[in-house]
Amino acid sequence: MTAGNHGAGTPPEDDDPFAHLYRPEGGAAPVPGPGEGTAPAPGVPRTSYTQVRAVGERTYGGQQAAYQVPPQQAYPYGQSSPSPHYAAPETYGGPPPQPPSFPPGDPGEGPRRGRGGGRNGLMLGAVAVVATVVIAIVAAVLFSGDGENSDVGGGDSESVAPSPEGKGDDEGKNGDDKPKKDPAAPPTEDGAKLALAGGAVVGSDTNVSEDGPYVHGLENQGASATWKPEVDEAGEYTLFVDYSVPGKDAELTLTINGQSDGRTVNLENFAKAKKGDWLAGWTRSYSWISLDAGANEIKLSCESGNKECQSAISKVELKKGQVSS
């Protein structure tokens, strides 16, 4: 049997074997296109009995597929038309097909991202946050405080117990942060801070003293150095004078609160310094005196009755009572 000859008679020459592909809905005869000739006459059997279904019309299990095929457009004979076995998803009337979903744990489900790795990531993040907080707290503790009592620098620190008034180690300071003088400490004054007159001046020659300024020029008659100390109680005190002589003995007249009575301060060469050697002649002398309570005036001067006054004074000091050191 020859292909295309399955029925009686000879098929018309213009019979289109693909007319069923663009037959209008309802079974009506297709409209011939240009050059196709006339439709087949009624009663003339078709030459092809191939059963071809339109895409989307096949049923599975007695239920029609969800996709609907849009009406086919007629194409002229001899021109290409879309394949009846394929149609793009966007040509369907319904929504585009969705990929099958599987419940969690189905064998068909691929590896899920973040199931194990996400949990580990959250744990690592929590550990990082805790570590950051701990570091911040430690830094705040180490670098807090006013820096005075902190031992961050690695040095030794000593804590001072507060006094009953709550002043601690600041008790001996006044509002200007200057240390107060201890009332029990003996009054002391540098020679350079004494009231000078009669040619006495402050010197700083290192050939005379290596410990700082001093008073010199006392060898001139009438030259003087005056000190005005204050004491809490009237009574007997000892005046100490730190001095130097250039290898020979000297003396100065001592006047207490305007009264002299011829007393002197002995500035003997106790250091046994050679003549002209001021650096080697530094030593200390003392005199017992009586003072009034409150302010007093003590003057050391070169008077006409003194045999030798050439000397240098660096400091004067008072101690209560008649002492020698």
Side-chain angles (χ1 to χ4, degrees):
M1 180 178 292
T2 303
N5 188 10
H6 299 285
T10 302
E13 295 182 315
D14 57 355
D15 187 11
D16 185 359
F18 300 101
H20 65 280
L21 295 179
Y22 42 86
R23 180 182 297 116
E25 294 183 357
V31 178
E36 288 185 314
T38 60
V44 178
R46 295 184 52 84
T47 59
S48 175
Y49 295 95
T50 303
Q51 300 297 320
V52 180
R53 295 180 180 271
V55 176
E57 290 184 359
R58 183 177 300 275
T59 59
Y60 299 89
Q63 184 178 0
Q64 188 173 359
Y67 304 128
Q68 299 296 329
V69 179
Q72 299 292 330
Q73 182 180 358
Y75 286 83
Y77 182 76
Q79 297 186 7
S80 62
S81 63
S83 172
H85 301 289
Y86 172 79
E90 58 267 19
T91 61
Y92 300 151
Q98 300 294 330
S101 60
F102 299 92
D106 267 6
E109 182 184 14
R112 297 184 61 186
R113 295 181 58 186
R115 173 174 293 182
R119 185 175 305 167
N120 293 336
L122 291 176
M123 184 177 297
L124 292 177
V127 171
V129 171
V130 172
T132 303
V133 172
V134 171
I135 292 174
I137 293 175
V138 172
V141 171
L142 290 179
F143 295 101
S144 63
D146 54 6
E148 294 182 359
N149 297 325
S150 176
D151 53 355
V152 176
D156 296 335
S157 62
E158 180 179 0
S159 60
V160 180
S163 63
E165 294 78 14
K167 295 182 180 179
D169 59 350
D170 294 331
E171 185 177 0
K173 298 181 181 180
N174 56 20
D176 297 332
D177 293 335
K178 295 180 180 179
K180 290 183 178 180
K181 292 183 178 180
D182 186 358
T188 304
E189 190 66 271
D190 291 335
K193 296 181 180 180
L194 300 177
L196 306 179
V201 293
V202 176
S204 59
D205 190 350
T206 56
N207 292 324
V208 176
S209 173
E210 295 178 345
D211 296 329
Y214 55 89
V215 176
H216 73 107
L218 295 172
E219 65 273 12
N220 301 318
Q221 187 174 352
S224 65
T226 304
W227 180 31
K228 296 181 179 181
E230 294 185 4
V231 294
D232 296 333
E233 299 178 359
E236 298 298 322
Y237 289 85
T238 301
L239 173 66
F240 292 89
V241 180
D242 291 354
Y243 71 97
S244 177
V245 290
K248 58 181 179 178
D249 298 339
E251 63 179 10
L252 293 172
T253 298
L254 177 60
T255 302
I256 305 297
N257 294 329
Q259 297 179 1
S260 172
D261 65 18
R263 293 184 60 184
T264 62
V265 175
N266 186 17
L267 304 180
E268 188 177 340
N269 184 20
F270 295 115
K272 305 301 181 182
K274 294 181 180 180
K275 187 177 180 179
D277 190 355
W278 290 90
L279 286 176
W282 286 100
T283 184
R284 170 174 273 205
S285 180
Y286 67 91
S287 296
W288 293 338
I289 61 177
S290 297
L291 298 176
D292 299 331
N296 293 268
E297 182 180 276
I298 301 174
K299 183 172 73 171
L300 301 174
S301 61
C302 184
E303 304 296 340
S304 58
N306 302 128
K307 59 181 180 180
E308 180 61 57
C309 298
Q310 189 178 19
S311 58
I313 298 175
S314 64
K315 186 175 70 171
V316 290
E317 181 181 357
L318 281 176
K319 287 186 179 182
K320 190 174 183 179
Q322 294 182 352
V323 298
S324 59
S325 59

